[in-house]
Amino acid sequence: SLTRLRSERARVIQEGERQRGFDALKTRDMTTAQQKFEDVLKRAPKDVGALVGLGFVRLDQKRFTDALALFDQARTLAPQRADVAEGYETAQYWSAMERGAALESRDAAAALAAYQMAQSVRPGEDGPTLAIAQVRLRQHDLAGARHGFEQVLQRAPNNVDAIAGMGFVHLDEKNFSEAAARLEKARTLAPNRKDVEDGYRNARFWGLMTEACALVHRGQGQDPLPR
């Protein structure tokens, strides 16, 4: 019948548009990919392939919250699809990391919760562990910070952020020689980082001050520097 022919023609056009969207996605032509997937979704809002394709476009654009919403919708419609599960996990992870970074300066507790969410999604990733440790360090929770940095260093001994983080933990503990050693290593690996350079200079300065005070107070039974 005429209705059936029209329906079949619309289906073929839609499949073609969707395929052109995925072809554009493969070549990283995100403008074309977005246009094709959005065209499909205007005609068929529950087209799983177009939802997934547009979700990956949003990931590439770093629009993680939008990507998460698209993959969540696709997951409801097709819970068994591997590409849906992969996209949802990726969007969930980066959305949580982005939220944590945005909250750090004004709500440390909420930032920690966001990073912990990211950590639960991808337990093997260093990013959330480092972010949590750095928040703990700013809160002067030295035990919590040390635990996080050491976890990362077990997996990646030359991770500059973790080495520097341990240096700052030691600096806060007034263990200046260990702080200088850690920060010197970080400085070698990342010579252009101002925070590492400043931390190294502070550790060296206070280390020398401690030695000088120890010489002055030797034999007097006094603590060289107030704790």
Side-chain angles (χ1 to χ4, degrees), residues 91-102:
Q92 191 179 30
Y93 174 80
W94 286 112
S95 178
M97 289 295 289
E98 183 179 59
R99 189 165 65 255

Side-chain angles (χ1 to χ4, degrees), residues 10 28 43 72 97 117 153 155 172 216 220 222:
R28 299 189 61 76
R43 293 189 293 268
D72 191 38
M97 289 295 289
M117 167 65 77
L153 289 170
R155 295 191 292 257
D172 221 3
V216 170
Q220 297 180 15
Q222 295 182 25

Side-chain angles (χ1 to χ4, degrees), residues 8-224:
E8 180 62 19
R9 183 173 178 274
R11 186 187 64 79
V12 170
I13 290 171
Q14 186 150 313
E15 285 181 0
E17 290 290 281
R18 190 194 310 116
Q19 187 56 53
R20 280 187 283 276
F22 279 109
D23 291 342
L25 194 60
K26 286 175 186 174
T27 60
R28 299 189 61 76
D29 178 359
M30 296 299 162
T31 301
T32 300
Q34 175 175 311
Q35 180 190 338
K36 297 302 178 185
F37 293 133
E38 285 179 343
D39 285 347
V40 172
L41 290 169
K42 282 175 189 174
R43 293 189 293 268
K46 292 185 177 181
D47 187 295
V48 174
L51 287 167
V52 170
L54 190 57
F56 282 113
V57 170
R58 295 292 181 248
L59 283 177
D60 188 78
Q61 295 168 335
K62 296 182 169 41
R63 292 171 56 179
F64 302 120
T65 303
D66 292 340
L68 185 61
L70 288 161
F71 285 118
D72 191 38
Q73 191 177 347
R75 194 173 65 147
T76 302
L77 296 166
Q80 303 305 319
R81 278 184 56 159
D83 57 346
V84 172
E86 177 194 347
Y88 181 81
E89 180 194 285
T90 302
Q92 191 179 30
Y93 174 80
W94 286 112
S95 178
M97 289 295 289
E98 183 179 59
R99 189 165 65 255
L103 287 166
E104 268 191 39
S105 61
R106 63 180 189 274
D107 191 340
L112 281 173
Y115 289 136
Q116 285 161 350
M117 167 65 77
Q119 193 175 49
S120 71
V121 173
R122 291 185 175 176
E125 288 280 346
D126 290 337
T129 307
L130 272 173
I132 290 167
Q134 286 160 348
V135 173
R136 299 281 191 211
L137 180 60
R138 285 193 289 275
Q139 294 178 319
H140 301 287
D141 175 3
L142 300 186
R146 179 194 298 274
H147 177 70
F149 292 133
E150 286 178 343
Q151 270 190 313
V152 173
L153 289 170
Q154 285 172 5
R155 295 191 292 257
N158 286 326
N159 184 293
V160 174
D161 290 318
I163 294 167
M166 282 301 299
F168 287 115
V169 168
H170 291 307
L171 192 56
D172 221 3
E173 292 171 334
K174 297 184 171 58
N175 184 349
F176 302 119
S177 61
E178 189 62 34
R182 295 274 192 171
L183 289 163
E184 184 174 26
K185 183 176 180 181
R187 187 171 169 244
T188 302
L189 293 168
N192 297 318
R193 276 188 54 170
K194 186 177 184 303
D195 61 330
V196 171
E197 183 65 27
D198 290 347
Y200 173 72
R201 290 179 182 276
N202 281 337
R204 289 284 295 152
F205 172 79
W206 287 109
L208 291 171
M209 287 289 290
T210 302
E211 291 173 13
C213 288
L215 288 173
V216 170
H217 293 285
R218 183 173 291 165
Q220 297 180 15
Q222 295 182 25
D223 193 356

